[in-house]
Amino acid sequence: MGKSLFDKVWDAHVVKTIEDGPSVLYIDRHLIHEVTSPQAFDGLKKRGAGVFRPAQTIATADHNVPTMDQHLPIKEALSRLQVEALVNNCAAHGITLYGLGHPYQGIVHVIGPELGITQPGMTIVCGDSHTSTHGAFGTIAFGIGTSEVEMVFASQCVLQSKPRLMRINIEGALQPGVLSKDIILYIIARLSASGATGYFIEYAGSTIKGLSMEARMTICNMSIEMGARGGMIAPDDVTFAYLKGRPCTPAGAAWDEAVEEWRQLYSDADAVFDKEVDIDASVITPMITYGTNPGMGMGINEHIPANGAGDANFTKAIQYMGLTAGAAIRGHKVDYVFIGSCTNSRIEDLRLVADFVKGRQKAAHVEVWIVPGSKQVEQQAIAEGIDKIFTAAGFHLRQPGCSACLGMNEDKIPAGKYCVSTSNRNFEGRQGAGARTLLASPLTAAAAAITGYLTDARELLN
Amino acid sequence: MQAFTILQSRFVPLSIENIDTDQIIPARFLKATTREGFGENLFRDWRYLDDDAAKPRPDFVLNQPQYSGQILVAGKNFGCGSSREHAAWSLADYGFRVVVSSFFADIFTNNALNNGVLPVTVPDGFLQKLFSLDSEATLTADLNLQTISIDATGEAVSFEINSYKKTCLLNGYDDISFLLSCKDDIEAFEKKSFRVIEQNSRPLEFDSEYNLIGNHQHKKNNSKKFTSIY
Ligand code: SF4
């Protein structure tokens, strides 16, 4: 029996397996940030242990940082303490930190690929569930809890049980105006918010092959939103072209060797999966969520399902959202638009939005925040003049961080307000207590910013 | 870690599905740098009407004195969402030692077990039965037997847990001590799977002015012939 992509990478990283228990899995790269690491450093200290392989851990500050005036000290005391703790812990343990002010700072899942830290065939973990993003490069990448962060510090390993494998085959051409974000929202709506729990997903098929690396990252990013441990895509020439010449990728002869090795990373023709799902990409339309988990999504021209069965959870979600079961969602008024987060804050996203809004103006009643995923994305946007397009449209280009994706810093959506967001979670209160989140692609978000209402962006395409 | 063997207790019913970690502990309460005190903010936005936590919501179970105990019984897909271990800390800190549901998110299961909180997966029918019991009812969770039972009727169902995790929890062992005891194996693994790529992919280091100064612990070692590890 052939091996799947997942098996190849997994098998190459198993140090040993405990009988009827998990495996000791070796971790190539460990990414850390200020929120889920302090207690792990603390635990290490209590044990009198050190960081075993500090060169394989890379840190950044993202969850808690302000997105304005980053050169000034952080105003909020607890946030400042958390960021300072990260600086001190990294210094004490010899860990590379691309912290606030550093030209490489940014959302942990944006900077990993951008710097070439993320490479095919690796195992990557981070105390953050969207670590699945890195799977776009053919890595086994998944989120871990703080106790596990401490395990990686202490031993460069985690204990993991081998997940079941699901392959999602996506075939066919996308309609114009439909983006990779729509593909993943569509898949989650079909499988539900828990439909892939216990599985690791491989995304395959001609549609995936035709996507850029940034678009692939958007898909892998949201694997966790259906409960999957992670998602991955076999690396190909698109992957190699993206990685070549990045700051942390090998160069010269080592690069050629690396590519030679990476080319073996694909699922063999006779590899077996525990579950296979087929998706026809040509039927996907721009998606929007209407509820309080990412599985509650639909095409923007569809109606919110009627609650025929009287499901209390459904009623609770619709009430929280202030929407009506059975009603259309298109045309609903919008208060905020947030374009950012590790799902959609890369340069391609910003370019696409800039292209769309060029020469247009935001609706007067909408507040629009654009938060680049990293310092490098921000600088690139400025170099390309994208910032000017945003300013002219009335959009506010802020500084990099997680921002309104989880509302840990000042960037919160007020209670009761509607926010079309390119992030990945629409949970109650995710963007601020009482905030109402509608997940969508950057294009759908941009269209809502321009009209002030939920809009099918395709009607505004030239 | 606190060991767990058997627990008899009343329980708190929370019959909501897809309870995500943002509900268990909202992000704005993740700013502490220690593990203590998170219980105060458990289910914060469901527990209080106001942001200052002055006005408890009377209709929320944690505010209803008839419900108490160290067992939380919750709807399907409990603990989905973020990897924040703060969710497990807040449940433990509040006093819960067992969470019963018909389905748990993966990362939450690990986080709970690493903090001495036992996630118990039961069939949906049994879960619905628990929701229909009155507030006086007590349950017994027995890790040795891997069963959870309704004390009044003796009705019991068994639950699964892998034997490694079971041993850890019964004895209060934690994974980190185990991994530290594997150091020799880990070092042997590193030698065996040495990769040229690894040596050439270290993070770049900068000085305090952000000038590039080289690679982190970069070892020039291209002597070993490349051999595939896949
Ligand atoms: S942008 Fe949002 S989802 Fe991504 S790492 Fe930050 S908080 Fe998590």
Side-chain angles (χ1 to χ4, degrees), chain A residues 85-107:
Chain A
L86 182 69
V87 172
N88 295 334
N89 283 325
C90 287
H93 293 280
I95 291 170
T96 302
L97 167 67
Y98 299 137
L100 212 51
H102 195 284
Y104 286 174
Q105 179 265 339
I107 303 174

Side-chain angles (χ1 to χ4, degrees), chain A residues 107-382:
Chain A
I107 303 174
V108 63
H109 310 309
V110 174
I111 70 167
E114 173 178 89
L115 297 173
I117 293 167
T118 305
Q119 294 172 21
M122 283 183 168
T123 46
I124 300 181
V125 293
C126 172
D128 186 284
S129 56
H130 294 96
T131 309
S132 58
T133 313
H134 307 266
F137 292 81
T139 67
I140 292 184
F142 53 90
I144 56 177
T146 297
S147 294
E148 292 167 307
V149 170
E150 192 179 331
M151 289 175 211
V152 183
F153 282 157
S155 68
Q156 203 56 36
C157 291
V158 291
L159 288 169
Q160 279 291 306
S161 300
K162 195 170 178 178
R164 285 174 291 169
L165 298 182
M166 180 190 299
R167 180 160 60 187
I168 302 184
N169 305 296
I170 308 156
E171 298 286 349
L174 288 173
Q175 295 176 30
V178 176
L179 306 182
S180 71
K181 179 65 165 285
D182 299 307
I183 301 180
I184 190 64
L185 284 173
Y186 176 85
I187 293 174
I188 301 168
R190 267 195 46 181
L191 296 185
S192 90
S194 59
T197 302
Y199 287 94
F200 210 98
I201 299 172
E202 179 180 343
Y203 300 97
S206 61
T207 317
I208 295 290
K209 286 260 161 229
L211 295 176
S212 71
M213 282 319 294
E214 301 201 349
R216 293 179 192 184
M217 283 186 247
T218 302
I219 291 189
C220 289
N221 174 276
M222 290 191 73
S223 305
I224 182 74
E225 305 310 334
M226 23 183 181
R229 209 73 186 88
M232 68 200 303
I233 293 171
D236 57 12
D237 288 335
V238 177
T239 320
F240 310 145
Y242 175 95
L243 285 174
K244 193 162 188 185
R246 302 248 163 205
C248 299
T249 41
W255 169 260
D256 297 334
E257 286 185 359
V259 173
E260 186 189 334
E261 182 168 319
W262 295 341
R263 285 200 191 281
Q264 303 167 54
L265 293 168
Y266 54 85
S267 287
D268 296 334
D270 52 348
V272 176
F273 293 82
D274 299 292
K275 186 170 177 176
E276 298 226 36
V277 175
D278 293 310
I279 301 283
D280 175 2
S282 67
V283 304
I284 303 174
T285 58
M287 296 287 293
I288 190 88
T289 62
Y290 54 84
T292 54
N293 74 57
M296 299 176 83
M298 62 182 188
I300 194 153
N301 297 312
E302 289 172 38
H303 286 221
I304 299 170
N307 188 15
D311 177 351
N313 290 293
F314 183 90
T315 307
K316 182 172 182 290
I318 295 297
Q319 271 172 2
Y320 179 86
M321 292 299 294
L323 298 171
T324 313
I329 200 162
R330 196 174 146 178
H332 198 282
K333 195 171 170 199
V334 167
D335 307 294
Y336 284 79
V337 169
F338 171 62
I339 296 175
S341 91
C342 57
T343 316
N344 285 116
S345 64
R346 298 181 179 81
I347 191 66
E348 271 182 20
D349 299 311
L350 301 201
R351 280 184 192 139
L352 184 115
V353 171
D355 257 9
F356 180 80
V357 303
K358 197 170 185 172
R360 290 179 166 136
Q361 272 288 322
K362 78 169 181 72
H365 67 268
V366 181
E367 176 114 22
V368 186
W369 297 340
I370 312 256
V371 181
S374 72
K375 211 70 201 155
Q376 293 207 80
V377 171
E378 179 195 31
Q379 293 308 310
Q380 179 85 23
I382 292 170

Side-chain angles (χ1 to χ4, degrees), chain A residues 26 47 53 96 98 146-147, chain B residues 30 85 174 190 204-205:
Chain A
Y26 192 80
R47 269 170 220 275
R53 294 288 180 247
T96 302
Y98 299 137
T146 297
S147 294
Chain B
L30 305 185
E85 196 161 315
D174 76 11
E190 284 179 324
L204 303 181
E205 291 300 301

Side-chain angles (χ1 to χ4, degrees), chain A residues 8-9 12-16 18-22 24 26 28-29 35-36 38-39 47 52-56 58 64 76 78-79 82 85 94 96 98 100-104 119 121 127-129 143-148 150-151 154-155 157 159-161 193-194 197-198 224 227 229 247-250 254 257-258 260-262 264-265 293 313 316 406 408 425 427-428 430 433, chain B residues 15-18 20-23 26-36 38 45-46 51 76-77 80-86 89 103-107 110-111 114-115 161-165 174-183 185-187 189-190 192-193 195-198 200-207 210 212 215-217 222 224-230:
Chain A
K8 288 180 184 177
V9 181
H13 289 86
V14 173
V15 175
K16 65 178 189 182
I18 305 165
E19 214 185 306
D20 187 30
V24 177
Y26 192 80
D28 292 321
R29 291 288 178 272
V35 177
T36 54
Q39 291 89 348
R47 269 170 220 275
F52 181 52
R53 294 288 180 247
Q56 285 165 249
I58 297 97
N64 222 337
E76 218 257 322
L78 288 174
S79 301
Q82 233 176 23
T96 302
Y98 299 137
L100 212 51
H102 195 284
Y104 286 174
Q119 294 172 21
D128 186 284
S129 56
I144 56 177
T146 297
S147 294
E148 292 167 307
E150 192 179 331
M151 289 175 211
S155 68
C157 291
L159 288 169
Q160 279 291 306
S161 300
S194 59
T197 302
I224 182 74
R229 209 73 186 88
C248 299
T249 41
E257 286 185 359
E260 186 189 334
E261 182 168 319
W262 295 341
Q264 303 167 54
L265 293 168
N293 74 57
N313 290 293
K316 182 172 182 290
L406 89 166
M408 258 192 101
R425 291 199 169 129
F427 298 153
E428 281 184 31
R430 171 80 176 178
Chain B
S15 66
I16 299 170
E17 292 179 2
N18 298 314
D20 59 75
T21 51
D22 279 82
Q23 308 320 317
R28 60 188 191 281
F29 301 112
L30 305 185
K31 297 188 182 189
T33 52
T34 62
R35 292 175 193 238
E36 288 81 39
F38 286 99
D45 291 342
W46 287 348
D51 221 30
K76 179 178 115 189
N77 199 24
C80 59
S82 99
S83 64
R84 62 186 71 155
E85 196 161 315
H86 312 68
W89 298 337
F103 200 87
F104 287 95
D106 274 347
I107 306 182
N110 272 345
N111 287 343
N114 285 334
N115 287 280
I161 179 169
N162 80 48
S163 63
Y164 166 79
K165 277 290 176 195
D174 76 11
D175 289 348
I176 300 174
S177 319
F178 172 77
L179 284 170
L180 286 169
S181 75
C182 298
K183 275 284 164 68
D185 293 322
I186 296 168
E187 285 180 359
F189 172 87
E190 284 179 324
K192 181 185 76 180
S193 62
R195 298 166 75 195
V196 176
I197 303 165
E198 169 66 27
N200 288 286
S201 306
R202 291 295 163 86
L204 303 181
E205 291 300 301
F206 295 77
D207 64 16
Y210 304 132
L212 185 64
N215 278 29
H216 194 150
Q217 299 185 5
N222 292 330
K224 184 162 166 170
K225 179 89 187 70
F226 164 74
T227 46
S228 173
I229 59 167
Y230 301 113

